[in-house]
Amino acid sequence: MKKLITLFAAAAMMLPAAAQTTKQTEVLNTARKANDYFMAKYEDPTLPTNVKRIRPSSLWTRAVYYEGLMALYGIDKNQKYIDYTDKWANFHKWTPRNGIKTRHADDQCCSQTYLERFMMTGDSTMLRATRDNLQGQMKEPTVGYWTWIDAIQMAMPVYAQMYKITGDRSYIEHAMKMYRWSRNECGGGLFNVKDGLWWRDADYVPPYKEKDGKDCYWSRGNGWVLAAYVRVMDMLSPKDKIYKELKKDFVMMCEGLAKCQREDGFWNVSLVSPVTYGGKEITGTSLFVYGMCWGMRHGYLKEKTYRPIVDKAWNAMVKDAVHPDGFLGYMQGTGKDPSAGQPVTYDKVPDFDDYGVGCFLLGAVEYYKLLGEDK
């Protein structure tokens, strides 16, 4: 298996780069600018964060950044991205935050990058701790770990990657047990099929309402779920019954999100309740661009409907949120609902900015790929 993966990686590196369109070049340059700003600010990726308290740089906020960085590497083969990633991962011994006994999805998020690097290199050092961590969790009877929807993005793709790597169906089957519990049982079920949107956790399931009487659907929380669908389905065959199950929910979500885009191209922090912390926000918007572009590229979303949506969203982010030096404005800080980190403005620096850059890179790269299909 190791030799096979290495051969696939080498073959991919030898593929000739396709000529870029002018628009693609603009998108790539914008992504590079945002990433260069981040890498210059955090020159040493091993240093811990210090927001109110010290946290290791393998925490979920930084892990999401590396998801975006690896996506950027997919279209921009710059060795400094790999060196930066491997320095970070080696420092953390390719191990989930808080060790192999953790069951917390936020701790497992960094393993997405560890496993992606394994698939590129075949180096089992990058895989062992994640394998042991997941196997330990799978032996336990509990499936109700993902009590908040962010967790679906943080951990579910890790299980899908392990299934892709090993061919062991038990990984993805266990992930689906946890997903279905969150979707259908947690708080009575966190996915509202009627609207195609997710309540962030049981605290926001009706009878909870925003002050205008509408449901509370948090933008970035829904973005996490949409991103998880993409990242999991990318590891599965379209013929897989699980792929088909997730695709159905993915399309429902996109339909729901299409209905609540702002006129300026962004999405509100509270998706359907603009009176409750309405306003521009880049992390949710980036993740929706990521998902919708992927959906169009795979033929699941009609381009006539969704292309204007993502074009408007991308143009709005570049015009209103990306600073000339690459700093990203309108980024909501960490939290669990629309009230967190308010006010969200062009100049405000959020408590953590790493996950926001990761979200932006994911959206930028998928938009770049979509533009490539215009040729």
Side-chain angles (χ1 to χ4, degrees):
M1 179 178 67
K2 183 186 297 185
K3 182 178 179 181
L4 184 61
I5 292 172
T6 305
L7 287 172
F8 275 127
M13 292 290 288
M14 293 185 341
L15 291 173
Q20 293 177 3
T21 65
T22 300
K23 181 65 174 177
Q24 279 184 300
T25 301
E26 292 173 359
V27 171
L28 179 56
N29 286 340
T30 301
R32 285 171 172 163
K33 180 166 66 173
N35 185 63
D36 287 347
Y37 177 90
F38 180 87
M39 290 182 69
K41 182 177 180 180
Y42 301 99
E43 185 176 3
D44 184 350
T46 70
L47 294 179
T49 64
N50 186 10
V51 179
K52 296 182 180 178
R53 62 185 176 88
I54 298 293
R55 298 175 177 86
S57 64
S58 55
L59 79 168
W60 72 267
T61 65
R62 191 62 55 88
V64 172
Y65 163 72
Y66 284 100
E67 293 175 41
L69 182 62
M70 296 305 294
L72 179 60
Y73 180 75
I75 63 169
D76 187 24
K77 303 295 187 187
N78 190 325
Q79 184 61 35
K80 76 175 182 179
Y81 304 155
I82 295 298
D83 294 341
Y84 191 75
T85 299
D86 286 355
K87 183 176 181 181
W88 165 78
N90 276 312
F91 179 79
H92 295 294
K93 297 180 170 45
W94 304 89
T95 299
R97 183 191 175 199
N98 292 320
I100 62 173
K101 293 185 178 180
T102 186
R103 301 294 181 256
H104 201 293
D106 288 353
D107 292 342
Q108 296 167 324
C109 188
C110 53
S111 288
Q112 293 190 47
T113 299
Y114 301 162
L115 295 184
E116 188 163 354
R117 287 294 292 131
F118 170 79
M119 287 187 276
M120 295 167 67
T121 67
D123 184 348
S124 59
T125 303
M126 302 172 177
L127 174 142
R128 289 193 200 104
T130 297
R131 177 198 60 203
D132 293 347
N133 171 242
L134 298 190
Q135 288 182 352
Q137 188 167 20
M138 289 162 59
K139 291 175 182 176
E140 299 173 358
T142 302
V143 295
Y145 283 108
W146 299 343
T147 59
W148 74 111
I149 60 175
D150 317 33
I152 297 172
Q153 193 285 143
M154 301 300 156
M156 192 173 180
V158 182
Y159 280 88
Q161 288 171 304
M162 282 299 295
Y163 167 56
K164 177 76 170 181
I165 290 167
T166 65
D168 184 344
R169 188 81 181 169
S170 65
Y171 286 105
I172 192 63
E173 294 287 359
H174 190 80
M176 287 304 294
K177 289 178 183 178
M178 292 193 284
Y179 168 77
R180 293 179 190 123
W181 180 86
S182 300
R183 183 190 191 278
N184 304 324
E185 298 182 45
C186 181
L190 298 180
F191 187 44
N192 185 353
V193 176
K194 179 175 69 71
D195 290 339
L197 300 172
W198 290 73
W199 294 294
R200 197 269 181 177
D201 56 50
D203 290 344
Y204 301 96
V205 174
Y208 182 94
K209 296 290 181 182
E210 298 281 42
K211 58 188 177 183
D212 59 359
K214 295 182 180 180
D215 283 338
C216 178
Y217 299 121
W218 183 36
S219 179
R220 187 164 67 240
N222 277 267
W224 291 137
V225 180
L226 196 69
Y229 290 144
V230 170
R231 299 179 72 77
V232 172
M233 286 192 286
D234 266 343
M235 297 293 113
L236 303 175
S237 164
K239 297 179 180 180
D240 193 306
K241 63 180 181 179
I242 289 175
Y243 188 106
K244 294 175 182 178
E245 179 179 347
L246 295 177
K247 183 180 77 172
K248 183 178 179 181
D249 286 353
F250 169 82
V251 172
M252 276 196 288
M253 273 202 78
C254 289
E255 290 172 350
L257 291 165
K259 294 175 183 177
C260 55
Q261 186 182 30
R262 292 163 50 97
E263 281 298 316
D264 62 13
F266 287 91
W267 275 264
N268 286 310
V269 179
S270 186
L271 288 172
V272 301
S273 179
V275 302
T276 310
Y277 302 104
K280 305 169 184 177
E281 203 285 313
I282 197 172
T283 61
T285 298
S286 295
L287 293 171
F288 301 150
V289 168
Y290 175 56
M292 290 179 181
C293 288
W294 186 91
M296 280 185 279
R297 290 183 54 239
H298 286 75
Y300 306 141
L301 302 177
K302 292 182 179 179
E303 191 155 345
K304 181 179 179 181
T305 300
Y306 287 92
R307 181 61 184 269
I309 292 173
V310 299
D311 285 343
K312 184 188 287 189
W314 175 259
N315 291 334
M317 289 193 291
V318 172
K319 173 179 175 289
D320 295 342
V322 182
H323 287 227
D325 63 358
F327 172 78
L328 300 177
Y330 293 108
M331 186 188 300
Q332 186 187 19
T334 56
K336 61 176 281 181
D337 63 21
S339 69
Q342 294 292 344
V344 177
T345 67
Y346 176 73
D347 292 316
K348 184 177 178 180
V349 179
D351 55 355
F352 292 88
D353 57 359
D354 37 13
Y355 61 88
V357 178
C359 293
F360 184 73
L361 293 178
L362 288 172
V365 170
E366 207 60 34
Y367 187 56
Y368 173 97
K369 293 177 181 177
L370 181 70
L371 292 171
E373 297 180 2
D374 290 344
K375 299 172 186 176

